[in-house]
Amino acid sequence: METCNDFKLGLALSGGGFRSALFHVGVLARMAELDLLRKVDVISSVSGGSIIAAYYFLKVKALLEQAPPEGQEAPGREAYIRLVAEIEVDFLAAVQKNMLMRTFLNPGKNTRMLAADFSNTERLAELLTRYFYQPISQKYASGTKQAWNLLKNISIRPLAANLKTGTRVPFLIINATSLNTGHLWQFTSIAVGEQRIGHEAGDDPIGFLKKFRMNDDRLTMEQRKILYNISLGQAVAASSCVPGIFEPLQIRNLYKANGKPLTIRLVDGGLVDNQGLASLFAENCTHIICSDASDILKPENHPSSQFLNVALRANDILMERIRGKSLNELFKFGPGRFAMFDLGDSETRNQIFPADSEKMVRALTRIRTAMDSFTDREADTLMYCGYHLSRKVMENNGFELIREPLPATRNWRFLGIRDRFLNNDENRKDLLHHLEVGSRQMFKVFLLKKAMPYAILLPVPMILTLLTLYLIIRLSPMTFWGLMLCFILVLIYTQNQRILKLMDNVAVLRRIKHRILKILISLRFPEPFSYIMALASWIQLTVFDRLFLRYGRVRETSGKPVARRQQR
């Protein structure tokens, strides 16, 4: 067994949108109980894992930099348990603000996005900063000169009084992928740039973009300005930038190629390593804990032969191969030196869920990875699964850094799922249906078998019918059917993510898209359309999103809503 000072513990938090982030909260809860969170040296995160990793990191920064109350000792196990308990409540509240819909809620921002002056990834970075990271910064860093919203300011500088024996100061690595070279890109408070990983050893014909240290005296004034103004939200947004849905995050003028300024374009770190393990290997960690709630390859008995579906399936297979390569490197650490928690784990599911375990795990692995609102039921079940899975795996595998098996010491809010739903046949089926609906990207509230959403929409077909009759009377048939065709094409284009991905990946279609966009901009079309987008987002947020969250509240077995327990 390792002694107190001869190990380096790395924590990897995988990608997978808000689904993975909520699963990771459950893992953090059990790690806090086992007194492992205090021992983490490096946190490596990807995509959705980066959202919760940055949030947790700022909480730890606040804990270790604030003077302990008079008469109290340095933060120990109980302090980290209380910290995760705060995250359990506050992080879900931020998730339920629905980042996806809020991206289009501001007409002015919509106009900028439509005019190609401002990307939806930059908008996402603003929202992540506003709803996740800025509240922590305002609470703990108010009155200081260093805003925690900036990447360069997030290093933890603990007070000596807070460093209890065994407490480590964690280092955060946020991983993205460089489209320029295809290499792993790292954001840290110390340096920004590409990182060479194990299987890239030796000469690389593409070459690496050098990593810039924030305190390098050789930086030009322009480079210094660029690096110093990278926000934590931008780093997380780049790590979460799913190709085809979000535009690449751009960093201009940091590098030069052939004497000309180079624009770096960054996307989801999952293209290189969706588990976040590569950065931990590069950091020479001796022990690794990997929380993996990413998409797993699912069997298809009758795979489609259509071009786009084949391309998407091929991409899923390649991602699974990359995952397998990373896990093979992890398994080389040997027994007791790593712990791996896989959301799709079939070996422990019967120990976690008392009944319908296969259906429950399958439903959880199929929940959307989007950044929209997650209901209490979805969130609590994901946290519950992450908590119990990590508990079972570490107990069974004998992770070396656990001095002794510690029992649960807090009545976590998400544990109420078992008594309210899992131990009751009728309520469990209701929960299972809710989780299965959660796999849909759109129109989820209409699939919950509730009358209210349909009642709200009832006047819409009547209005559309009257409008259609009016247009038929007032317009010529050719004009009318031309407008209808345009409406249908716009609807298909804006609602089908696969079409969006195809448009961006096929050069001819991408050129056509940009030409149409230029014509619309010259006609000032984006301005009214931006208001339409904002109105649609507002309706979704204030009506249907609220209904979805209401139907997903955690309830007693009697069906009556349960008020959230106050944090202890």
Side-chain angles (χ1 to χ4, degrees):
M1 182 178 290
E2 301 288 321
T3 62
C4 292
N5 298 312
D6 59 2
F7 69 86
K8 187 174 184 179
L9 176 59
L11 173 61
L13 300 178
S14 77
F18 281 158
R19 180 186 72 188
S20 66
L22 294 166
F23 176 86
H24 298 327
V25 172
V27 173
L28 294 176
R30 185 52 185 163
M31 288 182 64
E33 289 182 345
L34 292 172
D35 204 21
L36 286 174
L37 282 185
R38 285 197 308 121
K39 301 175 183 178
V40 172
D41 293 281
V42 185
I43 303 172
S44 174
S45 63
V46 183
S47 193
S50 294
I51 300 174
I52 182 62
Y55 193 90
Y56 167 76
F57 187 83
L58 291 185
K59 287 282 192 178
V60 175
K61 179 178 174 68
L63 178 68
L64 296 182
E65 291 187 355
Q66 303 297 311
E70 186 176 353
Q72 292 191 13
E73 61 180 7
R77 173 172 173 257
E78 290 301 321
Y80 280 80
I81 290 176
R82 289 193 298 270
L83 184 149
V84 178
E86 291 178 6
I87 292 176
E88 180 193 11
V89 177
D90 298 340
F91 186 80
L92 177 57
V95 166
Q96 292 182 340
K97 296 294 184 181
N98 197 329
M99 299 300 103
L100 188 61
M101 282 294 101
R102 287 185 184 275
T103 302
F104 307 103
L105 191 59
N106 186 309
K109 302 287 186 181
N110 291 345
T111 300
R112 290 183 62 190
M113 286 188 286
L114 288 169
D117 176 51
F118 183 68
S119 71
N120 55 2
T121 305
E122 289 284 355
R123 178 61 176 152
L124 175 63
E126 290 181 348
L127 294 171
L128 290 172
T129 299
R130 177 178 178 182
Y131 291 102
F132 286 87
Y133 311 127
Q134 189 170 301
I136 303 176
S137 178
Q138 289 176 339
K139 182 176 180 179
Y140 296 105
S142 58
T144 67
K145 295 181 180 180
Q146 292 190 342
W148 293 2
N149 301 334
L150 294 177
L151 187 67
K152 71 182 181 69
N153 292 336
I154 67 170
S155 291
I156 298 177
R157 297 175 176 83
L159 299 177
N162 284 330
L163 292 182
K164 189 174 183 178
T165 302
T167 298
R168 305 291 181 95
V169 180
F171 178 64
L172 177 63
I173 302 174
I174 297 173
N175 298 286
T177 301
S178 167
L179 284 182
N180 301 66
T181 63
H183 294 147
L184 179 69
W185 178 281
Q186 291 181 341
F187 289 98
T188 74
S189 60
I190 296 175
V192 171
E194 292 187 351
Q195 172 66 43
R196 188 183 297 271
I197 56 181
H199 63 267
E200 294 170 335
D203 295 332
D204 190 303
I206 297 178
F208 281 78
L209 296 172
K210 66 173 292 186
K211 187 178 290 187
F212 288 102
R213 294 184 65 85
M214 297 284 190
N215 60 356
D216 192 340
D217 294 334
R218 294 169 295 179
L219 293 173
T220 66
M221 289 299 296
E222 185 176 20
Q223 288 174 329
R224 201 179 304 273
K225 181 179 178 181
I226 294 168
L227 292 173
Y228 285 7
N229 284 285
I230 296 175
S231 70
L232 180 60
Q234 286 175 319
V236 173
S239 180
S240 308
C241 180
V242 180
I245 297 178
F246 290 99
E247 298 175 47
L249 183 83
Q250 299 186 27
I251 300 180
R252 297 181 177 89
N253 303 324
L254 186 60
Y255 298 89
K256 287 187 177 181
N258 300 321
K260 297 181 179 179
L262 185 67
T263 297
I264 304 300
R265 290 181 169 85
L266 304 173
V267 294
D268 196 314
L271 295 183
V272 175
D273 170 29
N274 202 34
Q275 282 62 51
L277 290 169
S279 290
L280 298 184
F281 299 151
E283 289 291 319
N284 298 314
C285 291
T286 63
H287 293 72
I288 290 178
I289 294 175
C290 178
S291 179
D292 185 10
S294 60
D295 278 325
I296 58 175
L297 187 67
K298 302 173 181 68
E300 289 190 7
N301 293 330
H302 305 286
S304 172
S305 60
Q306 295 182 0
F307 168 76
L308 184 56
N309 290 334
V310 171
L312 293 172
R313 181 64 175 174
N315 179 72
D316 292 341
I317 293 171
L318 289 173
M319 292 296 293
E320 184 68 14
R321 297 281 292 180
I322 294 172
R323 178 176 183 268
K325 192 174 186 65
S326 295
L327 295 184
N328 286 337
E329 291 296 317
L330 178 65
F331 297 154
K332 292 178 181 178
F333 276 61
R337 290 181 176 262
F338 75 90
M340 168 77 178
F341 319 130
D342 183 350
L343 177 59
D345 187 1
S346 59
E347 294 183 6
T348 59
R349 65 191 181 197
N350 292 332
Q351 303 173 51
I352 298 173
F353 298 104
D356 293 326
S357 60
E358 183 179 354
K359 293 180 180 178
M360 293 295 295
V361 171
R362 183 171 65 246
L364 289 176
T365 60
R366 294 177 184 271
I367 285 182
R368 65 203 177 280
T369 57
M371 284 185 276
D372 61 355
S373 293
F374 275 61
T375 64
D376 294 354
R377 296 188 190 190
E378 293 174 312
D380 284 2
T381 309
L382 285 164
M383 293 180 196
Y384 175 92
C385 183
Y387 174 84
H388 278 291
L389 178 59
S390 56
R391 185 175 182 179
K392 297 296 181 184
V393 169
M394 281 193 283
E395 287 177 0
N396 296 340
N397 293 1
F399 190 61
E400 282 184 352
L401 300 184
I402 301 175
R403 299 304 177 188
E404 58 183 20
L406 297 174
T409 58
R410 185 179 182 87
N411 186 22
W412 301 98
R413 188 176 65 174
F414 56 76
L415 294 179
I417 282 287
R418 175 179 286 270
D419 292 334
R420 294 175 189 138
F421 292 97
L422 301 181
N423 291 331
N424 180 284
D425 290 342
E426 182 179 351
N427 289 348
R428 185 176 62 254
K429 291 179 180 178
D430 185 51
L431 174 63
L432 184 58
H433 173 68
H434 191 89
L435 296 177
E436 289 171 343
V437 168
S439 67
R440 304 300 183 93
Q441 298 292 335
M442 299 180 60
F443 309 120
K444 294 181 291 292
V445 71
F446 295 96
L447 303 174
L448 292 177
K449 301 178 181 178
K450 306 292 184 181
M452 181 62 72
Y454 293 96
I456 294 173
L457 278 186
L458 187 61
V460 174
M462 298 175 61
I463 294 173
L464 290 177
T465 301
L466 292 174
L467 180 62
T468 301
L469 291 174
Y470 174 80
L471 291 175
I472 290 174
I473 295 172
R474 301 287 296 183
L475 301 176
S476 66
M478 182 175 294
T479 304
F480 171 76
W481 289 112
L483 289 173
M484 289 297 293
L485 179 60
C486 289
F487 173 76
I488 293 171
L489 290 175
V490 169
L491 186 65
I492 293 173
Y493 170 71
T494 57
Q495 300 301 328
N496 192 311
Q497 296 296 342
R498 292 189 174 187
I499 291 178
L500 288 174
K501 190 170 184 177
L502 179 65
M503 291 284 283
D504 284 330
N505 292 338
V506 179
V508 175
L509 296 178
R510 186 168 62 248
R511 287 196 294 269
I512 293 173
K513 172 186 172 182
H514 289 317
R515 287 176 183 174
I516 293 174
L517 185 59
K518 287 182 179 179
I519 293 172
L520 293 177
I521 292 172
S522 66
L523 297 174
R524 302 185 67 84
F525 180 77
E527 293 182 14
F529 189 58
S530 65
Y531 282 92
I532 295 173
M533 293 168 62
L535 177 61
S537 299
W538 181 82
I539 293 173
Q540 171 65 24
L541 282 170
T542 56
V543 180
F544 299 111
D545 202 52
R546 286 187 180 181
L547 278 177
F548 182 60
L549 293 176
R550 177 183 173 186
Y551 295 145
R553 288 176 185 165
V554 173
R555 300 171 182 269
E556 296 285 7
T557 52
S558 62
K560 296 180 180 180
V562 176
R564 283 296 196 183
R565 293 195 297 274
Q566 295 296 320
Q567 178 190 338
R568 292 184 181 180

